[in-house]
Amino acid sequence: MERPFPHVDGVSHRFVDAGGLRTHVAEAGPPTGEPILCVHGWPQHWYLWREVIGPLANAGYRVICPDLRGLGWTDAPPGGYEKEQLARDLLALMDELELDRARYMGHDWGGWVGYLLGLRAPQRIERLLTLNILPPFVSIDLRGALSARRLWYQVALAAPVAGERIARRLAHLDDEGARRLGLGEKVWSRAERESFLGQFAEPDRARATVQYYRTFQLRELAPLVAGRYRRDRLGTPTLLLFGTEDQVQDPRQLEGAERRVEMFRYELVEEVSHFIVDERPELVAERALEFFG
């Protein structure tokens, strides 16, 4: 039995075959409105945007919230979790939806993929709003290397056998476990936690989680540290909102990032963790309307 979609007023759902991937898309707003792609990260899905969709749709935008491969209700194939492939997935979706160009808002991996789209297909992304995700072209110095200890959860999830067990255990996380992981009531209600983490009771989605982080740790991290994107320049106007209490990323690494983007600014949001959309949806919606308007 397939999990039901959580309810958000004004949202409809459909599945789109894009590039061979059956992709779930949640949509709101007028079909003729200017499109905004809203893309989540791990361990979430389209419902991340539950309190942002309404303000954007009411402002006349066509709000399109796809689930990334392996997450939410989109297919979870055994491979294809390289982040460049996730970008190709979204380009295929844009083609299928006949979107020549769109505004883009992304959190976590969704923001990372947004940067990649801005670098690889700048003609498709009009403006880019990213949320608590460092750009791939930031320099990783000694400070950044020392902060890598914060990535312990990625190593655990990427581990053979154990990673899948850990992912499946998340589906049954209790209140105390959520609090210890920084996912307590400040971030998610119990119902929201069950909606996001409950997906990992499905073996295919638990395996997809392992692939997200095994691919990153084994294939993508070393080239990234070696400067894979450091010579690239992002021409898309970009705004980054960054909660300063992020449990994994250090906002000090943003220093100098503006040199690699033609139009870039970032705003540090105090007393907010990695899950800025959940904790401050009104701020995210307000900044989106200002930036995209």
Side-chain angles (χ1 to χ4, degrees), residues 12-258:
S12 62
H13 300 270
R14 61 170 161 154
F15 291 89
V16 179
D17 187 358
L21 183 72
R22 185 174 182 260
T23 299
H24 167 250
V25 180
E27 296 176 280
T32 57
E34 291 291 321
I36 299 178
L37 277 174
C38 300
V39 185
H40 66 90
W42 186 89
Q44 296 181 279
H45 46 63
W46 73 272
Y47 191 56
L48 165 67
W49 309 105
R50 59 199 177 279
E51 294 184 64
V52 177
I53 291 170
L56 297 181
N58 291 338
Y61 288 105
R62 178 186 176 190
V63 186
I64 303 166
C65 306
D67 287 338
L68 291 171
R69 81 164 48 209
L71 295 171
W73 285 260
T74 291
D75 278 353
Y81 295 94
E82 295 81 2
K83 309 313 170 287
E84 294 274 0
Q85 177 59 49
L86 300 183
R88 290 190 289 270
D89 288 345
L90 289 179
L91 285 176
L93 179 65
M94 291 179 70
D95 290 342
E96 197 66 31
L97 297 178
E98 299 182 343
L99 303 178
D100 292 330
R101 192 170 170 84
R103 295 164 175 84
Y104 187 106
M105 177 162 56
H107 175 254
D108 189 77
W109 285 128
W112 185 272
V113 173
Y115 290 126
L116 297 183
L117 286 174
L119 293 172
R120 304 301 188 224
Q123 74 281 5
R124 307 296 296 273
I125 305 300
E126 186 170 337
R127 287 192 160 229
L128 176 61
L129 171 56
T130 59
L131 303 150
N132 269 79
I133 185 70
L134 295 170
F137 42 76
V138 297
S139 298
I140 299 179
D141 55 13
L142 179 60
R143 178 197 301 160
L146 291 174
S147 73
R149 68 184 184 279
R150 304 184 187 191
L151 299 180
W152 64 267
Y153 75 99
Q154 294 191 12
V155 175
L157 288 169
V161 182
E164 189 173 333
R165 290 177 181 171
I166 293 169
R168 295 184 73 169
R169 196 173 299 168
L170 288 173
H172 308 288
L173 194 68
D174 60 17
D175 292 345
E176 176 60 22
R179 186 192 63 77
R180 289 201 311 268
L181 292 176
L183 301 174
E185 288 289 326
K186 179 186 175 184
V187 177
W188 297 332
S189 69
R190 184 177 298 178
E192 290 165 347
R193 184 178 79 229
E194 290 173 355
S195 177
F196 292 130
L197 301 184
Q199 63 181 314
F200 302 123
E202 300 175 19
D204 286 351
R205 302 202 184 279
R207 285 191 287 270
T209 284
V210 172
Q211 290 304 314
Y212 264 90
Y213 290 103
R214 186 174 295 166
T215 298
F216 183 69
Q217 291 289 328
L218 298 183
R219 302 183 200 168
E220 298 172 314
L221 183 57
L224 181 67
V225 172
R228 177 179 184 181
Y229 299 104
R230 210 165 295 156
R231 294 183 181 180
D232 292 336
R233 184 168 178 80
L234 182 61
T236 304
T238 301
L239 170 64
L240 167 62
L241 301 182
F242 203 100
T244 58
E245 295 182 12
D246 193 298
Q247 302 94 323
V248 176
Q249 301 168 97
D250 187 343
R252 292 175 296 177
Q253 289 180 252
L254 288 166
E255 296 171 8
E258 66 278 359

